[in-house]
Each structure stands twice: as structure tokens, then as C-alpha cells.
Amino acid sequence: MSEQTQTASSFRAVPQLDLAAQYAAIGEEIRAAIEHVMASQQFILGHQGAALETEIAGLSGAAYGIGVASGTDALILALRACGVSAGDEVIIPPFTFVATASAVNAIGAKPVFADIRPDTYNIDPSDLPRRVTRKTKAIIAVHLYGLSADMDPILGFARANSLRVVEDNAQSLGATYKGRRTGSMGDAGCISFYPTKNLGAYGDAGMIVTNSSEHAARLRTLRNHGQSAKYVSSEAGWNSRLDEIQAAILRVKLRYLPEWQRARQAHAAAYSKLLLGVPGIAPPLVPENFGHAFHQYTIRVEQRDALQRLLKERNISSSVYYPVPLHLQPLYSSLGHHAGDFPHAEHAAKEVISLPMYPELRSDQITRVAEAVIEFVTK
Ligand SMILES: Cc1ncc(COP(=O)(O)O)c(C=O)c1O
């Protein structure tokens, strides 16, 4: 390939996510925020973390925020604060990132799957009743791709059965459900600031938000070796503290989040305008009264793998979240599930594909991606 052709083709490349574009725009502010922490020489449990906790709780419509080391730790600690312990069962969807389930395993509890709805990819509340046993303690409602799970029936079912509800809000910070914010509706909401998230750190970080002062106090203890006072530990915890450098970076990015969210929503609308009504393509559904955060713009097509190959040939990146549902993962073979046990999750795993989505995406890139998808389904 000549140098000229190489340059032309890389110019035309459409990445699935472009964090470098974001850093080019805000790098100066980020570096200043890091320098500020360096000058303070306070790296753990300081002003930046405390301020971020208040800001994220506010954004989530919750009373308290507790910064932790990752979204996975947020789930583990939230389950513990909700009283889940070894031998309990926790109902989760099988169509999610493995961390939702491994957090349940981490405390010796058992993940029990309930199928998803085929149109929203989130847990189907009508599948909950047959999954409950005497051992069920909690439900984790995952808000996948930026869309809230259908919380009213989940919360109603949990209340009727004395179950706790933990929201896995790793992917949907800023999403809304009937005027409420994701993360604020259950007993605790768990956020991931993994770098690729809508609000991403420059390393691992996470947070739990809750409206319960009791949960908040316990979580602050659990994330810091169970210490209720300095060098006094009341129960076993460990180190899951969010550090000051990550908190300072996140606070800079938080100022841009509303603008970035609007850009994501505009990009999603532009994609859907081109793709809606095209036979063979199911663009993402946004149910009435739901505010989608569009962490991903995920469509559904038959022959998904062939579409992904075609996009790659056109220099367009895409991702599949997630190709293997959890009940069919080797990790969970001991649970004894088979293909066909959760048909909607299995079907989605074969057909979903996430198209390029990030705030800096340009409209000509969206058109190019959508045209390639349309060409695939119409040829
Ligand atoms: C749905 C879901 N749950 C949990 C996690 C775990 O978050 P983290 O990677 O910050 O531990 C992630 C993200 O990676 C996720 O997408």
C-alpha cells in the first residue's frame, strides 16, 4: 500500500470509540487538575474524592455517594451492605458483562439468571417470579447500553418478596426512568468509571450511590478495611478507595458530561433516522418516559458476524456486547444450564452489534456507517 493510500484509508477510519479526540479537547484542564493533586500531596480520601461523591450523588438523584476502586467493587460492597452473604441467591440477567455475576460470586452467593426482554435487552420483570427461592436475597437490575431497566415492576416485585434491589448502573449514568435517575431507585446504585464509560477515569474507579444513610455509613467502613474509626475495625472490609487523581480527573470530565450526553443523543437520533424502518435492522428502542444515555448505539441484525466483517473491510470499527450469555460461560458450567434456557439472551448475543458512538463522532461518519449497514441488509 502506498503511503498516500495508507493516509487516505486511515483518515476514513471510523473507530468505535475515540478517547484521544476527547483528550485533545480537555487535556490541558486534566493536566492542571492532576498537577493540583500533586501539589496538595493528598492522594487518598481527600477533598477531590469527597467533592466527586457529592457531585455524582447529585447527578444520580441520590443522597449519598461512596467512591470505590471500581464498578465491580461497587457491586460487591453494595451487595454486602444490603445484607447479601454466602449461600444467598441473587437474581441477575444473563445478558450483561461478567462483572455483574462475578460480584455475586465474590461474596459466596449464587447468581440466578432471569431472561431479558428482546426489545430492551434488560431483565424481564415477568420472568422474576419463577426464579425466586427461599434463598433469594436480592435482584441486580442492570441498565444495559445506557437504557434503564423497567424498574417499577422490579421494585414492586422486590417489595412484595422482601428482596433488596441493587442497580448495576455501570453503563447508564445520567439515564432516566419516568423522571427518576438510574442508580437512585433501588437500595444502591453502582457506577463504573472504567475509561470507556460515558464518564471515564484514566484508570479504574467506581462509586455507589444510595438514599440510605445506614448503607452509606456501612459502605464507607467496608471500603476502608471495616474501620469505623481510625485503627478500629468493626468488620472485615478491604481497601477499595477511589484515589484523588482519578477523582480530580473525573471532576473535570463531569463538567462536560451534559454536553457529551447531548451529543450522544443527537448521534443516536441521526443513526435512527437513517436506520428506522429499514427491513432487517432493529435500532435501539427508547420506551416512552425513558431517557437513554446511549453508552452504546446497539442494533440487531441477522448475520451479525458477516455485517461486522463488512464494516471492518470499510474501515469501520464495531463491537459485540456480549457474544456469550453468562449462563453459557465456562465459568458457570457448574450451574448446569443449557442452550435454550434463556432464549432471549441467547438470541440477542447472536444478533447485537454496537456501532461507533462517542461525542466527537461526526455526522458524515454516522452517514457512512449507516449506509454500510443498509447496504449489507439490502444486498
Ligand atoms: C454492566 C457492567 N457491570 C459491571 C462492570 C464493572 O465495572 P468495572 O470495570 O469498573 O469494575 C461493567 C464495566 O466494566 C459493566 O459494563
Side-chain angles (χ1 to χ4, degrees):
M1 197 187 278
S2 75
E3 203 175 298
Q4 208 176 353
T5 328
Q6 240 174 6
T7 313
S9 69
S10 49
F11 173 73
R12 293 202 331 272
V14 187
Q16 216 252 326
L17 171 70
D18 188 356
L19 287 175
Q22 186 188 71
Y23 187 62
I26 63 168
E28 208 169 304
E29 282 175 83
I30 296 279
R31 289 188 291 276
I34 294 171
E35 183 52 39
H36 187 77
V37 176
M38 293 303 196
S40 79
Q41 287 293 299
Q42 171 134 29
F43 297 108
I44 304 287
L45 295 181
H47 166 74
Q48 295 295 333
L52 182 71
E53 288 175 342
T54 305
E55 290 162 0
I56 296 292
L59 174 68
S60 305
Y64 308 97
I66 302 93
V68 293
S70 68
T72 306
D73 274 8
L75 286 165
I76 295 170
L77 294 174
L79 289 169
R80 275 190 69 181
C82 285
V84 179
S85 56
D88 291 337
E89 293 181 0
V90 178
I91 302 176
I92 67 168
F95 193 60
T96 175
F97 182 54
V98 68
T100 312
S102 55
V104 175
N105 293 120
I107 49 180
K110 178 183 167 190
V112 172
F113 302 113
D115 209 354
I116 57 163
R117 286 183 53 111
D119 51 358
T120 63
Y121 309 116
N122 282 323
I123 198 164
D124 181 353
S126 72
D127 199 35
L128 294 173
R130 64 186 178 131
R131 309 297 175 189
V132 174
T133 72
R134 279 185 304 107
K135 292 182 178 171
T136 311
K137 201 60 172 272
I139 300 166
I140 302 182
V142 181
H143 307 307
L144 204 68
Y145 300 149
L147 181 71
S148 176
D150 189 6
M151 290 304 288
D152 279 344
I154 295 170
L155 293 168
F157 180 80
R159 216 172 299 121
N161 291 276
S162 304
L163 306 177
R164 306 268 71 86
V165 175
V166 170
E167 292 174 71
D168 182 338
N169 201 24
Q171 300 189 7
S172 299
L173 182 64
T176 57
Y177 173 79
K178 301 182 182 176
R180 285 169 280 163
R181 316 267 175 87
T182 52
S184 68
M185 296 177 273
D187 293 274
C190 301
I191 299 158
S192 165
F193 299 122
Y194 184 78
T196 59
K197 298 293 195 267
N198 288 17
L199 180 64
Y202 287 173
D204 276 311
M207 194 172 289
I208 304 144
V209 295
T210 180
N211 284 309
S212 155
S213 57
E214 231 171 90
H215 286 344
R218 177 123 188 264
L219 287 163
R220 286 186 201 292
T221 303
L222 285 173
R223 73 169 170 187
N224 196 15
H225 298 292
Q227 295 179 96
S228 47
K230 200 166 186 191
Y231 303 132
V232 180
S233 287
S234 44
E235 63 177 317
W238 67 92
N239 169 9
S240 184
R241 300 174 301 235
L242 184 155
D243 75 72
E244 288 288 283
I245 290 180
Q246 296 304 340
I249 290 167
L250 288 164
R251 292 188 69 213
V252 171
K253 288 188 159 199
L254 190 54
R255 296 202 287 272
Y256 293 92
L257 190 63
E259 184 187 312
W260 291 340
Q261 297 288 58
R262 282 194 297 275
R264 285 176 182 274
Q265 280 158 350
H267 299 336
Y271 270 131
S272 291
K273 198 169 165 209
L274 296 165
L275 299 178
L276 211 65
V278 178
I281 304 174
L285 176 78
V286 186
E288 180 119 11
N289 273 328
F290 285 56
H292 203 310
F294 284 107
H295 173 54
Q296 299 296 341
Y297 184 89
T298 304
I299 63 167
R300 213 174 159 133
V301 285
E302 278 180 25
Q303 311 290 329
R304 182 265 323 279
D305 294 340
L307 169 61
Q308 190 165 37
R309 280 194 295 275
L310 177 133
L311 293 175
K312 196 169 173 210
E313 278 164 21
R314 302 284 158 86
N315 228 347
I316 296 167
S317 299
S318 61
S319 298
V320 174
Y321 306 111
Y322 297 91
V324 183
L326 297 185
H327 64 288
L328 300 180
Q329 291 280 350
L331 167 65
Y332 291 117
S333 59
S334 63
L335 296 179
H337 289 300
H338 300 101
D341 285 355
F342 300 95
H344 293 310
E346 290 166 31
H347 202 185
K350 288 196 178 86
E351 293 192 346
V352 291
I353 180 165
S354 297
L355 303 180
M357 172 54 83
Y358 50 92
E360 298 78 8
L361 194 63
R362 299 190 315 265
S363 59
D364 62 295
Q365 293 174 309
I366 292 171
T367 306
R368 225 182 95 208
V369 175
E371 279 173 357
V373 175
I374 294 167
E375 181 197 318
F376 176 79
V377 291
T378 50
K379 77 173 182 250

